[in-house]
Amino acid sequence: MRESSVDFHPHKKTHRATLSQQSNTLSDISCDTQASDIPESDHSETEAGGDITEDRVRSEFGQYGSVWAEKTGERSAVCPGVVGRTTLLPDSEWEREVVAIHLEEDVAINIEDENDGHIPGEPLKTLVSGFFLVTGFLATTISLSLTHDRVPDTKPLPDIVLDTIIYQRWGLDVSEILLMVSTGTAFLVVILHSHRLIILRRIWLLLGILYYYRAITMFITVLPKADETYICQPRSDNITLGLVVNRVMTIVSGGGLSINGKQVYCGDYIFSGHTVTLTLGYLAIKQYSPSRFFLLHWASFLTSCCGIIFLLLGRGHYSIDVVLAYWVSSRMWWTFHTMANIREVKDGGEHNMFRGLWWWHAFRYFENNIPGPLPQQYSLPLPQFVMQAGRRKKKTEGDSEGVGS
């Protein structure tokens, strides 16, 4: 503790110290300062200054209430016989200190450590998201089964892109090959991520939402075939439940692709499912692979771009289908991940405009326990007991080698 000294000399011929000067001088007195350290000639004036100070404190006691009482009691317990230093400070500083104490007393801020390193996988939520994806895909296939009989038998609509490029029959097959490559690569990246369950349910939820959107848009407005040479199944004038189920099973068995000959129903134009899958494949690779894998990112980007170009060359879709698909899927992805990465957005405050989204409650259900952005951590998708057994075996081998050496 520092040593205290009083260097103030009030008795000079031309000047006598005022009470405020004495008070400011006494503000340097610590708990170790003894009464003997103060000159006797200063005792009377010091006592007078103390009386005035106490009167000022009592007059302002009503404004600050128990805060001052608690503070002076605290100081008295620490430094018996010495009034807190606050009483000897100028008014402005004294008030600032008391207000600060008041805030410390009344404002309780509960700060929880959200970054404790544990992010729950919650496999049940992933299962629910997968079920939602299946229902969305079934909704799309049912919509296509009903739309097929309403496709107008007319020439393709004018399209500035399709009318300019040269038609390539093999373009659709190449596009679907690139689609499968992109999807397989994205799945590999996700499955090697340590938080694979969270990422899977995010992608499945987004795909399910987009499938439901597509089921509505393709059924509302039916466009004629973009490729006049594409062979579709004959239309039926009598739609029955059995016929719809048979069509749905045929589409599902082929995964919605034309390369395997299972996609023989027409009318699924607005918007392009191929473009949605290619776009989300690239975004998943870019988002969840290490940032230093820029070559993989560029390769995925070129794969998705080429897949869309070949889709148009093969006249698998109109240009408006591709534009709408990219716009909807990319905005859905960025909106969802922005909301998932910001904790405050997950709160249901009245000023949170994201509450207006129809899938808001589903989002909160799936993302409520995720504190923020997922760390870039990777591991093999093996059961926990297998990983523990491998670690124990590796540790045993290391110990045996150390003993042998």
Side-chain angles (χ1 to χ4, degrees):
M1 185 173 294
R2 65 184 177 88
E3 297 181 357
S4 300
S5 63
V6 180
D7 295 330
F8 180 70
H9 301 285
H11 301 290
K12 292 184 180 181
K13 291 183 178 181
T14 58
H15 176 70
R16 181 172 182 82
T18 63
L19 292 176
S20 61
Q21 289 175 327
Q22 292 176 352
S23 299
N24 289 334
T25 303
L26 291 175
S27 64
D28 291 334
I29 298 178
S30 66
C31 295
D32 293 338
T33 304
Q34 304 296 327
S36 59
D37 295 335
I38 304 175
E40 295 181 359
S41 59
D42 295 338
H43 278 309
S44 58
E45 296 179 357
T46 301
E47 293 174 356
D51 294 339
I52 296 175
T53 302
E54 291 177 359
D55 292 339
R56 179 168 57 85
V57 172
R58 292 192 188 96
S59 64
E60 296 179 355
F61 181 85
Q63 178 180 356
Y64 297 102
S66 60
V67 178
W68 169 249
E70 180 180 350
K71 190 64 179 177
T72 54
E74 182 182 30
R75 295 295 179 94
S76 299
V78 177
C79 305
V82 179
V83 180
R85 185 180 56 183
T86 306
T87 62
L88 303 177
L89 294 175
D91 289 350
S92 58
E93 296 184 24
W94 184 82
E95 291 174 2
R96 282 198 298 269
E97 182 173 348
V98 173
V99 171
I101 297 168
H102 182 73
L103 292 176
E104 291 175 1
E105 178 187 19
D106 294 344
V107 179
I109 302 176
N110 185 19
I111 301 177
E112 299 179 356
D113 186 10
E114 297 179 348
N115 300 320
D116 57 356
H118 175 68
I119 301 178
E122 301 175 303
L124 179 60
K125 291 184 178 181
T126 304
L127 184 63
V128 173
S129 179
F131 177 76
F132 179 74
L133 171 63
V134 171
T135 59
F137 182 71
L138 289 176
T140 300
T141 56
I142 294 173
S143 178
L144 176 58
S145 300
L146 299 175
T147 302
H148 172 74
D149 298 310
R150 300 170 50 228
V151 175
D153 191 12
T154 59
K155 291 184 178 182
L157 297 176
D159 189 298
I160 188 64
V161 176
L162 301 186
D163 294 342
T164 303
I165 61 178
I166 300 175
Y167 168 69
Q168 304 293 336
R169 186 176 182 85
W170 47 264
L172 182 58
D173 292 342
V174 174
S175 175
E176 293 185 344
I177 292 173
L178 295 176
L179 183 149
M180 290 185 286
V181 170
S182 178
T183 303
T185 306
F187 179 78
L188 183 63
V189 168
V190 171
I191 209 66
L192 291 176
H193 202 285
S194 297
H195 302 288
R196 58 188 66 89
L197 293 179
I198 299 174
I199 301 173
L200 282 176
R201 69 169 173 258
R202 287 178 175 180
I203 297 176
W204 289 349
L205 176 63
L206 290 174
L207 278 175
I209 294 173
L210 292 170
Y211 273 132
Y212 275 109
Y213 281 157
R214 190 165 180 257
I216 295 173
T217 55
M218 76 165 64
F219 184 80
I220 292 176
T221 303
V222 184
L223 305 181
K225 293 190 301 182
D227 180 13
E228 293 183 285
T229 64
Y230 193 87
I231 300 176
C232 301
Q233 283 281 9
R235 290 179 290 186
S236 176
D237 296 332
N238 184 20
I239 301 296
T240 62
L241 179 61
L243 179 61
V244 173
V245 172
N246 182 65
R247 289 178 176 178
V248 169
M249 295 301 295
T250 302
I251 298 172
V252 171
S253 63
L257 300 178
S258 304
I259 195 172
N260 50 31
K262 299 292 186 178
Q263 177 60 300
V264 291
Y265 303 102
C266 298
D268 57 335
Y269 288 112
I270 300 178
F271 44 87
S272 171
H274 290 71
T275 304
V276 167
T277 308
L278 289 167
T279 302
L280 292 188
Y282 162 70
L283 292 175
I285 294 172
K286 179 71 166 56
Q287 178 80 24
Y288 295 112
S289 63
S291 57
R292 65 180 181 274
F293 286 13
F294 62 91
L295 292 179
L296 175 62
H297 301 162
W298 277 106
S300 175
F301 176 76
L302 294 176
T303 300
S304 297
C305 289
C306 291
I308 295 173
I309 291 173
F310 287 124
L311 177 66
L312 294 174
L313 285 174
R315 298 186 184 241
H317 276 279
Y318 289 100
S319 301
I320 187 63
D321 305 338
V322 172
V323 172
L324 289 177
Y326 166 75
W327 180 268
V328 175
S329 58
S330 61
R331 269 59 191 175
M332 278 287 301
W333 179 277
W334 292 327
T335 300
F336 185 94
H337 282 80
T338 299
M339 295 167 62
N341 292 338
I342 302 176
R343 182 69 182 178
E344 290 74 12
V345 177
K346 301 175 186 179
D347 298 331
E350 60 178 340
H351 300 295
N352 188 355
M353 295 296 102
F354 289 113
R355 293 185 307 160
L357 297 171
W358 68 268
W359 44 270
W360 160 254
H361 294 287
F363 164 79
R364 289 195 67 187
Y365 168 73
F366 289 116
E367 296 291 330
N368 188 51
N369 295 327
I370 310 302
L374 297 178
Q376 297 291 359
Q377 300 173 350
Y378 304 90
S379 61
L380 294 175
L382 299 176
Q384 190 67 23
F385 71 91
V386 176
M387 300 292 291
Q388 293 176 355
R391 284 193 292 265
R392 286 196 299 267
K393 182 178 179 181
K394 185 176 180 180
K395 182 179 180 181
T396 303
E397 292 176 353
D399 294 341
S400 61
E401 291 178 0
V403 173
S405 61

